[in-house]
Amino acid sequence: EAGVAQSPRYKIIEKRQSVAFWCNPISGHATLYWYQQILGQGPKLLIQFQNNGVVDDSQLPKDRFSAERLKGVDSTLKIQPAKLEDSAVYLCASSLALSGSKTGELFFGEGSRLTVL
Amino acid sequence: QQQVKQSPQSLIVQKGGISIINCAYENTAFDYFPWYQQFPGKGPALLIAIRPDVSEKKEGRFTISFNKSAKQFSLHIMDSQPGDSATYFCAARHLGGYSSASKIIFGSGTRLSIRP
């Protein structure tokens, strides 16, 4: 079974530039997440989709970050304009479900490492 | 408070020893407590998980101990091996409500190094 695919793996940009990350979840997984992992910290949830609808974006800096999940499959996360503090690994994860009796194990991609200079 | 506090930040254990990582939470709306393991350059992967209605869960050399009254849980790695060297994250699932979805909240991580 193919895992969660993310691209690009690495990206270096100047501050105030824009960047986009792509994620393709495991086939059949309805829930998709974008986490931000700053060096030395735990993953922080940015946005959560259920199919193609947003169910939680409370920690997404909406003035500069945006995300979409067209057709309920793959997703893109965009940052515009980037700031120095956006340097982090952006992790995409997917799960079958997260509520009710299902445990909702998260399957993570390898991440996209962003460096903002 | 939707937080999970994890300690220590880093840990060095001799091969064959026991590694212990601790986590604490405040919110009683957490209903599922997984541990994730992350190797450099990789995404986290589920290691073991527990529900609050049991006090202990063991899978091979990995054991979760859960103290519901103290709102604390810990990961024990018995007979620690160099291959266990990784970053470990405790986490908790926060139950959603009518207007919000369930979500997984992560601790800050423990960098474990096993000395050969």
Side-chain angles (χ1 to χ4, degrees):
Chain A
E1 180 182 272
V4 176
Q6 288 190 247
S7 67
R9 288 295 314 278
Y10 305 93
K11 189 74 176 179
I12 300 174
I13 61 173
E14 300 279 336
K15 61 182 179 183
R16 291 188 290 275
Q17 286 186 324
S18 63
V19 62
F21 302 113
W22 173 82
C23 171
N24 187 255
I26 293 173
S27 177
H29 281 193
T31 312
L32 184 147
Y33 318 77
W34 284 102
Y35 281 86
Q36 180 192 57
Q37 186 175 23
I38 293 173
L39 186 65
Q41 297 182 19
K44 171 189 163 185
L45 180 66
L46 292 176
I47 189 167
Q48 179 176 332
F49 292 92
Q50 181 76 17
N51 296 309
N52 61 345
V54 175
V55 294
D56 189 329
D57 62 357
S58 57
Q59 297 200 83
L60 186 74
K62 298 180 186 64
D63 58 334
R64 298 183 300 104
F65 286 65
S66 64
E68 61 182 7
R69 189 182 184 194
L70 299 176
K71 300 180 182 178
V73 182
D74 55 356
S75 174
T76 55
L77 175 71
K78 297 179 182 178
I79 307 173
Q80 182 179 16
K83 292 186 174 181
L84 296 177
E85 59 260 38
D86 298 332
S87 294
V89 175
Y90 291 86
L91 293 164
C92 179
S94 67
S95 71
L96 280 169
L98 200 56
S99 60
S101 61
K102 297 184 185 297
T103 56
E105 176 183 354
L106 301 186
F107 294 84
F108 283 88
E110 294 191 325
S112 295
R113 181 179 296 276
L114 173 66
T115 301
V116 182
L117 302 176
Chain B
Q1 266 290 50
Q2 292 192 16
Q3 263 191 346
V4 181
K5 296 183 179 179
Q6 184 171 348
S7 63
Q9 192 173 27
S10 63
L11 182 62
I12 299 174
V13 174
Q14 286 294 126
K15 178 183 175 182
I18 302 173
S19 304
I20 302 174
I21 303 170
N22 301 299
C23 284
Y25 64 99
E26 290 294 326
N27 198 320
T28 56
F30 291 145
D31 74 330
Y32 165 69
F33 300 86
W35 284 87
Y36 280 78
Q37 180 188 53
Q38 185 177 30
F39 292 104
K42 302 293 185 183
L46 180 66
L47 183 64
I48 186 172
I50 196 168
R51 293 190 179 276
D53 53 350
V54 299
S55 60
E56 186 175 281
K57 183 172 181 181
K58 184 175 181 179
E59 290 183 2
R61 296 184 294 108
F62 300 90
T63 300
I64 301 177
S65 296
F66 191 87
N67 186 329
K68 188 174 181 178
S69 60
K71 295 181 186 173
Q72 295 175 348
F73 58 111
S74 59
L75 175 69
H76 296 232
I77 305 174
M78 311 299 288
D79 186 27
S80 299
Q81 298 297 313
D84 298 330
S85 296
T87 300
Y88 292 80
F89 296 97
C90 61
R93 182 176 71 175
H94 183 268
L95 283 173
Y98 178 75
S99 59
S100 64
S102 299
K103 58 186 174 184
I104 299 282
I105 296 164
F106 287 82
S108 55
T110 296
R111 191 167 186 173
L112 175 65
S113 297
I114 306 300
R115 284 191 174 155

